[in-house]
Amino acid sequence: MIFFLLACNPSPKNSCKADVAWITDPSLPIDVAETESFCDFYQFSWQWFLAQTQQAEDPQKNQERVFEQNRIYQFGGVKNQCNLPPIVGRHASFEHQQARIRKSDEFERIEADSHALYDQNENILSYNIYYAAQNCEATEKGFPPKSLEIKAAWMKLKEPSDKYLTIAEPAGESLEYYGLVGMHFAIWTPRHPEAIWVTWEHRDNAPLCDGSSPVQSYNFASKAASKCLHEKKSALKCADFKFNIPHEITPAPDKGKPINVCREYAYGNQHGKAINGNDTSANLLAIQSLNNELVGPHGLLTKLHNRNPMKVWSNYQMVGALWTKGGQESGVLPVPHNGGSASPSSPQRGSLELTNMSMETFQQGEDSYVPNCFGCHGYKSQTPLGVSHIQQDL
């Protein structure tokens, strides 16, 4: 559990600081600070996250968050969506969710493959996408500033919980509740036309495969499975729990046997030195220290009153981010993968093994064709819109 790592391994003082104004007076910076340190990228990312996850100002919106006021992507090959009446809001977003089994066919091609993920309550996860109005102003030259895509993963809850951003939807004469378990942000800036790719997860999603996480029940791993990891320090030595192995069922039903998941790379960080000069130690330090500033035991979000609507985000963690040096083309992957060898000249920077356990569950490590965001969202300057998988429909 990432939160445990922060609590037990606090980062050095003042290594990467957060500002309470990100919560009390949020804004969307146009670009990363010109120094472009690892800390700069992660500060930029947290600022965007906290601005998008505030409550919407309109009291009629039933406590919806700002990101829910972005346009909602329509699945099913609907074209020219920017010319259609915008679909926005919490109820609409629920109506436009899709189960994992249709994710790759509908808008993700090969990323995350087409395998369904089932939580420990045997429910299939569902997903949706939001995009900013600025995306509708994109041209063949690229995306304007503040263009944004958000991919969200939702898990069915047995009952409402203040530990999750929760949506409630009618189901006959009762309500069904869904909790947010993962979010991807793709943010386009003037200096980064490849987009800055950032991901957040609920802190209880999955343990680390190396057994360093606490023994507990996770959203995607049983207590017995996490105990085995803790004792044997290896998912390979816990074969009975079939970590990160999907069910081969097509089409996938809404209910299925729980799948045990573990994270191979903490914060998407490589084990050891990167082949392409990416400073893995500095990257890890920036993530840990800034997370600790916000959601650690004494973090700015953790200390909020329970009635503060931003308090819920103290239960989530930024896993990491990915970008390229100087906004270059993403090029060949800098990490080992099942589609070729790692490139020492790759300009990719940040968390080079970046995956979200609720989204790229089965695409981790050396046997993956897409071990990070650029494995599927490759950026080429001649076709800048191609980095997005939904822009062709907008």
Side-chain angles (χ1 to χ4, degrees):
M1 186 167 87
I2 301 174
F3 184 78
F4 176 82
L5 295 177
L6 292 172
C8 293
N9 297 288
S11 42
K13 293 181 179 179
N14 303 318
S15 52
C16 192
K17 303 294 289 184
D19 189 335
V20 69
W22 300 352
I23 302 170
T24 60
D25 187 23
S27 63
L28 298 175
I30 294 293
D31 218 325
V32 178
E34 290 187 6
T35 49
E36 293 206 344
S37 67
F38 288 100
C39 182
D40 291 333
F41 278 95
Y42 292 118
Q43 288 176 327
F44 172 89
S45 300
W46 262 113
Q47 283 182 267
W48 269 75
F49 180 84
L50 293 171
Q52 286 288 325
T53 56
Q54 298 276 337
Q55 280 193 332
E57 293 182 0
D58 189 343
Q60 302 301 315
K61 296 302 183 181
N62 193 28
Q63 298 184 342
E64 289 181 1
R65 304 294 170 140
V66 171
F67 77 85
E68 295 175 288
Q69 301 306 299
N70 290 299
R71 297 178 67 122
I72 298 166
Y73 176 73
Q74 299 180 60
F75 298 104
V78 179
K79 300 295 184 180
N80 301 314
Q81 294 189 23
C82 288
N83 294 324
L84 299 175
I87 298 175
V88 299
R90 180 167 296 180
H91 180 69
S93 73
F94 178 81
E95 290 184 334
H96 285 80
Q97 289 180 19
Q98 293 282 354
R100 173 80 168 249
I101 191 62
R102 298 168 65 180
K103 182 173 187 286
S104 60
D105 294 337
E106 296 267 343
F107 64 93
E108 288 293 31
R109 312 258 190 327
I110 60 172
E111 182 186 14
D113 53 55
S114 59
H115 292 110
L117 175 60
Y118 293 91
D119 63 28
Q120 292 301 299
N121 292 319
E122 303 184 346
N123 295 309
I124 195 170
L125 262 65
S126 56
Y127 306 82
N128 57 4
I129 296 180
Y130 309 84
Y131 60 96
Q134 286 84 349
N135 292 55
C136 292
E137 301 170 8
T139 70
E140 61 182 11
K141 294 182 179 180
F143 291 91
K146 296 190 177 181
S147 293
L148 168 71
E149 288 181 17
I150 297 177
K151 304 173 188 177
W154 302 88
M155 179 183 74
K156 190 174 182 179
L157 303 175
K158 290 183 176 180
E159 58 189 12
S161 172
D162 59 6
K163 293 183 178 180
Y164 296 84
L165 180 71
T166 304
I167 57 176
E169 288 296 322
E173 296 182 356
S174 61
L175 292 174
E176 288 184 341
Y177 301 96
Y178 294 82
L180 181 73
V181 290
M183 294 184 87
H184 279 327
F185 279 43
I187 310 164
W188 282 269
T189 81
R191 291 199 299 271
H192 287 279
E194 80 283 12
I196 298 166
W197 301 83
V198 201
T199 196
W200 280 264
E201 287 193 47
H202 196 277
R203 69 187 192 189
D204 288 339
N205 273 3
L208 290 165
C209 296
D210 65 7
S212 61
S213 302
V215 175
Q216 66 174 63
S217 295
Y218 292 86
N219 292 332
F220 312 129
S222 68
K223 187 173 183 179
S226 73
K227 182 180 180 181
C228 183
L229 287 177
H230 191 72
E231 292 175 347
K232 298 186 178 181
K233 311 301 180 185
S234 168
L236 294 177
K237 296 179 180 179
C238 296
D240 290 347
F241 295 98
K242 300 181 179 179
F243 279 100
N244 303 335
I245 298 177
H247 302 326
E248 297 295 341
I249 305 173
T250 304
D254 290 341
K255 303 284 285 189
K257 186 178 180 180
I259 293 175
N260 288 304
V261 174
C262 66
R263 186 190 305 278
E264 291 191 26
Y265 300 93
Y267 307 102
N269 228 42
Q270 283 184 282
H271 303 150
K273 189 175 181 180
I275 192 175
N276 69 335
N278 185 64
D279 191 335
T280 53
S281 296
N283 183 66
L284 181 61
L285 176 62
I287 298 170
Q288 288 180 310
S289 57
L290 194 53
N291 277 355
N292 197 55
E293 285 272 303
L294 288 158
V295 296
H298 305 289
L300 296 176
L301 290 168
T302 307
K303 293 189 296 184
L304 293 176
H305 193 281
N306 287 339
R307 289 196 294 270
N308 189 309
M310 294 299 287
K311 175 74 171 185
V312 66
W313 303 115
S314 65
N315 297 292
Y316 294 79
Q317 294 284 335
M318 178 176 64
V319 178
L322 188 70
W323 60 91
T324 68
K325 185 177 182 180
Q328 298 178 53
E329 293 187 353
S330 54
V332 180
L333 291 167
V335 294
H337 55 288
N338 201 12
S341 58
S343 171
S345 62
S346 173
Q348 297 178 25
R349 296 293 184 269
S351 296
L352 301 181
E353 295 278 5
L354 189 63
T355 52
N356 188 303
M357 294 304 91
S358 67
M359 300 187 197
E360 296 86 23
T361 317
F362 311 112
Q363 292 293 329
Q364 300 183 68
E366 296 185 11
D367 60 349
S368 169
Y369 285 96
V370 284
N372 70 27
C373 309
F374 289 129
C376 199
H377 295 270
Y379 168 68
K380 295 182 179 180
S381 59
Q382 294 299 312
T383 53
L385 302 186
V387 71
S388 166
H389 289 175
I390 70 169
Q391 193 66 30
Q392 63 182 354
D393 295 332
L394 304 187

